[in-house]
Amino acid sequence: MDQYLIKMPTKSKNNDITEQKIPIKENTTKQNKDAKGKIATANKRKNQDTPEIIKDKENADTENPPKRRSARLTRSTQSMAEDGTPSPEKEIPEKLPFIKYRGAIKYYTESHEIAASADEVMQWVEKQTKADVVPMAFDMEWPFSFQTGPGKSSVIQICVEERCCYVYQLSKLKRIPAALVALLNHSKVRLHGVNIKADFRKLQRDFPEVAAEPLIEKCIDLGVWCNEVCETGGRWSLERLANFIAKKAMDKSKKVRMSKWHVIPLDENQLMYAAIDVYIGQVIYRDIEQREKTKLKNESEFKEQNGDAAFKAVKALGETFLAKINEVTL
């Protein structure tokens, strides 16, 4: 290591300076330059880190904090850019009154009881001669386990009149009664619900005597229909549709929703939960149906008064025609 050291000249007793020869390698000059550069940089930093400068920096950072990129915000912004304006189902109204169902709940567990009830409903449907179709709210329940997944279809609930809901528990059945299958496939019955097509496919997997495709062809998904009539977007849940259309809140208790739907008998909370699902479905259907009639009437009247060109121009501005337009400004 001595050969890399530079010894300073020493003074003799006579105050004469005697120089000592020290061997130096060729790269010593380069190392000296690098050392000088580092020392200069350090001195410069030292000068910049004086108390006054540090205090100024802290004040500047306090007044103008650095911007931080949030991954969550970026994803949200990107989603809005891709999906467009958020649909109304994301805007959950506050302090809406809860749904209160005071109608009858007819609950059956035996095959012959379910068949007799389904036949009674079918006779009522056939008596509705003034209507071409009879809307029927449809929903299903089944047990769910995080270990084994969804269980077998356990409950079918239907509603054709808002004052009465039918709850059929299938736990004892090996086959669904033919009368209930005939009711679901009746030519005048218009089955409706939210994500109803998936329910029919599951019902077919659990009970092969039910053909899903004919039911899917004639059913109405309330969320899709709402998007068409109200010109909204996105996927709807029954709860959000109740908020948006009926201005009601639903008590979707996880304790009841994830309960043992295959156990007989169902308790009062389960029966009320099942009935409310189809009751509010029927209410939503009636409301969307009325909105569609109003919309078609307003569109027809507007075209007669202003012509197709004006109609297209107003539609391009975002008019849904759910409310009547008295004046047109183009």
Side-chain angles (χ1 to χ4, degrees):
M1 295 292 295
D2 293 343
Q3 59 182 344
Y4 297 103
L5 298 176
I6 301 177
K7 295 183 179 180
M8 298 300 293
T10 58
K11 292 185 178 181
S12 64
K13 293 182 179 180
N14 301 328
N15 295 329
D16 294 333
I17 297 175
T18 305
E19 294 183 359
Q20 296 182 5
K21 294 183 178 180
I22 300 171
I24 300 174
K25 286 194 171 184
E26 295 178 357
N27 61 349
T28 302
T29 304
K30 184 177 181 181
Q31 290 178 353
N32 290 341
K33 290 182 178 180
D34 294 341
K36 290 180 180 179
K38 292 180 179 179
I39 292 171
T41 304
N43 290 335
K44 184 178 180 181
R45 290 177 179 172
K46 185 176 181 180
N47 292 334
Q48 291 178 347
D49 294 337
T50 59
E52 293 79 4
I53 295 178
I54 292 174
K55 187 174 181 180
D56 292 340
K57 286 183 178 180
E58 291 177 351
N59 294 336
D61 292 340
T62 302
E63 295 175 0
N64 301 303
K67 294 182 179 180
R68 296 182 180 179
R69 298 181 68 86
S70 170
R72 180 177 298 178
L73 180 60
T74 303
R75 287 194 297 270
S76 176
T77 305
Q78 182 179 0
S79 176
M80 288 179 62
E82 293 174 354
D83 300 339
T85 305
S87 53
E89 78 272 16
K90 297 180 182 178
E91 301 173 4
I92 301 176
E94 296 180 359
K95 297 181 180 180
L96 291 176
F98 280 99
I99 299 167
K100 293 182 180 179
Y101 176 67
R102 297 183 175 88
I105 301 176
K106 297 186 177 182
Y107 169 50
Y108 303 102
T109 61
E110 301 293 336
S111 179
H112 67 279
E113 294 176 343
I114 294 174
S117 174
D119 187 65
E120 178 185 343
V121 175
M122 188 158 45
Q123 291 178 21
W124 181 88
V125 168
E126 291 173 349
K127 290 179 181 178
Q128 308 306 307
T129 56
K130 294 182 180 180
D132 295 331
V133 295
V134 176
M136 179 188 292
F138 176 94
D139 199 9
M140 289 171 47
E141 310 294 342
W142 55 83
F144 181 85
S145 169
F146 289 102
Q147 287 75 31
T148 59
K152 188 176 181 179
S153 301
S154 301
V155 176
I156 287 177
Q157 59 261 48
I158 61 173
C159 179
V160 289
E161 293 182 285
E162 286 86 334
R163 62 188 180 187
C164 182
C165 296
Y166 299 83
V167 179
Y168 302 139
Q169 193 166 11
L170 314 176
S171 303
K172 289 184 177 180
L173 308 185
K174 293 182 179 179
R175 292 177 59 86
I176 291 183
L180 179 54
V181 176
L183 173 62
L184 298 179
N185 286 282
H186 197 284
S187 58
K188 287 189 70 173
V189 168
R190 176 177 287 177
L191 295 166
H192 62 83
V194 176
N195 199 23
I196 190 173
K197 296 179 181 180
D199 286 347
F200 290 143
R201 293 189 178 100
K202 176 169 176 51
L203 187 62
Q204 179 180 262
R205 289 194 298 269
D206 296 337
F207 295 93
E209 62 271 18
V210 178
E213 289 307 316
L215 299 177
I216 290 174
E217 288 178 2
K218 69 170 188 173
C219 75
I220 290 180
D221 189 302
L222 294 178
V224 175
W225 194 25
C226 175
N227 286 338
E228 292 173 355
V229 175
C230 301
E231 299 184 23
T232 53
R235 294 175 63 88
W236 292 89
S237 65
L238 182 61
E239 183 178 8
R240 288 172 177 169
L241 271 178
N243 296 157
F244 179 61
I245 297 293
K247 305 302 179 186
K248 298 286 186 179
M250 298 184 68
D251 184 8
K252 284 291 185 179
S253 168
K254 186 177 181 181
K255 182 179 180 181
V256 180
R257 180 166 51 88
M258 303 289 288
S259 62
K260 298 177 180 179
W261 291 98
H262 60 293
V263 175
I264 296 175
L266 299 177
D267 62 32
E268 292 182 1
N269 292 328
Q270 289 175 309
L271 288 173
M272 182 58 68
Y273 181 100
I276 284 178
D277 272 4
V278 286
Y279 162 73
I280 195 62
Q282 195 75 347
V283 171
I284 291 170
Y285 179 95
R286 302 287 190 192
D287 195 301
I288 297 178
E289 182 181 44
Q290 185 58 47
R291 293 185 189 213
E292 185 179 53
K293 290 179 180 178
T294 301
K295 179 180 180 180
L296 293 175
K297 180 182 177 182
N298 290 342
E299 287 181 347
S300 178
E301 291 178 354
F302 185 90
K303 288 179 181 178
E304 290 178 1
Q305 296 175 6
N306 304 282
D308 290 339
F311 172 77
K312 292 179 181 178
V314 173
K315 286 288 288 184
L317 295 175
E319 174 58 46
T320 62
F321 284 90
L322 292 172
K324 193 170 184 179
I325 302 177
N326 296 322
E327 296 181 3
V328 180
T329 304
L330 299 180

